Amino acid sequence: MTSEQQTIRVMVVDDHPMWRDAVARDLAAAGFDVVATAGDGPGAVRRAKAVVPDVLVLDLNLPGMPGVQVCKELVGSKSALRVLVLSASGEHADVLEAVKSGATGYLVKSASTEELIDAVRRTAAGDPVFTPGLAGLVLGEYRRLAADPMPSAPDEPRAPQLTERETEVLRLVAKGLSYKQIAERLVISHRTVQNHVQNTLGKLQLHNRVELVRYAIERGLDDEA
């Protein structure tokens, strides 16, 4: 147990009580602060807004409101909440829909307790985490989206001034590197990488990593050495 884990507030959402309780119990035993649980979509939205967790561990198949809609309701530029989807489905369409809705990471329920604990910690730090095999799928989708022109307001040309370091971080994000890998590559702290990404999102008026990577790939930053 680390002090870092103790400060991370987690909420668990799943419609199966035994599974939900088991996940909550495992996370609490690992030192996370499990502040709430919910068994349906509308309840998840209400409870999350009330308790303000750092990480929402979210199933996709929920009564009342699907998990992707819960994501859309809770994740946004004014919210620091991050979502880790924990689903029985490893279907590509489900993974991509979850990421587009704002999820930071995606694990299938066959993941081990240790993998889940690590994923929650990394999600809280803003690091995208996926069940092995799914990360490449998501990056491939980023590239496909980047092939389509991003609509922009006619009277609002986007000409942000990024610093040299922000551009460097953006280039590595576009290559699919995790925040930890970027920190090691640039010999800076994980927190500094997070700050650069948040500053860049603000300057570009983007909302999440999907839009950020698309922006970078459109400009060829992922092809630079």
Side-chain angles (χ1 to χ4, degrees):
M1 185 185 302
T2 70
S3 57
E4 179 187 9
Q5 288 174 337
Q6 288 177 320
T7 64
I8 299 173
R9 294 163 54 82
V10 182
M11 179 173 166
V12 180
V13 181
D14 196 288
D15 63 330
H16 291 93
M18 289 183 64
W19 176 267
R20 182 174 69 240
D21 292 347
V23 170
R25 189 166 53 247
D26 286 344
L27 292 178
F32 297 102
D33 183 9
V34 180
V35 294
T37 61
D40 61 79
V45 172
R46 286 194 303 272
R47 291 290 290 145
K49 288 181 177 179
V51 301
V52 195
D54 299 309
V55 176
L56 189 70
V57 178
L58 177 70
D59 188 19
L60 291 181
N61 188 19
L62 297 172
M65 180 189 296
V68 290
Q69 186 59 40
V70 173
C71 260
K72 291 175 182 177
E73 294 279 342
L74 295 173
V75 177
S77 57
K78 295 182 179 179
S79 171
L81 172 69
R82 294 191 171 102
V83 175
L84 172 65
V85 170
L86 184 60
S87 173
S89 171
E91 293 294 324
H92 290 181
D94 290 334
V95 177
L96 295 176
E97 188 177 12
V99 173
K100 290 175 185 176
S101 299
T104 297
Y106 194 110
L107 284 188
V108 295
K109 287 185 174 179
S110 57
S112 68
T113 300
E114 290 74 20
E115 287 172 323
L116 173 62
I117 290 168
D118 180 63
V120 171
R121 187 183 306 116
R122 289 172 58 191
T123 299
D127 228 357
V129 55
F130 296 93
T131 291
L134 298 182
L137 164 75
V138 175
L139 187 58
E141 178 67 4
Y142 289 155
R143 294 178 184 279
R144 187 193 68 76
L145 286 172
D148 300 325
M150 180 182 284
S152 58
D155 298 328
E156 243 181 275
R158 190 177 285 156
Q161 292 296 314
L162 299 182
T163 67
E164 184 177 343
R165 181 46 63 91
E166 286 168 350
T167 301
E168 198 171 14
V169 170
L170 179 58
R171 176 173 57 82
L172 295 176
V173 168
K175 287 177 176 289
L177 273 67
S178 71
Y179 290 175
K180 180 180 179 182
Q181 290 170 322
I182 294 172
E184 291 173 350
R185 177 79 65 89
L186 301 180
V187 196
I188 57 178
S189 72
H190 190 287
R191 175 68 64 183
T192 300
V193 174
Q194 286 181 259
N195 289 340
H196 284 312
V197 170
Q198 289 304 313
N199 290 341
T200 302
L201 284 171
K203 287 183 178 181
L204 300 179
Q205 299 179 36
L206 301 177
H207 300 99
N208 53 50
R209 189 180 174 103
V210 176
E211 295 180 0
L212 186 64
V213 174
R214 181 178 176 182
Y215 176 94
I217 293 175
E218 280 181 337
R219 284 148 184 82
L221 291 176
D222 62 315
D223 294 327
E224 295 181 9

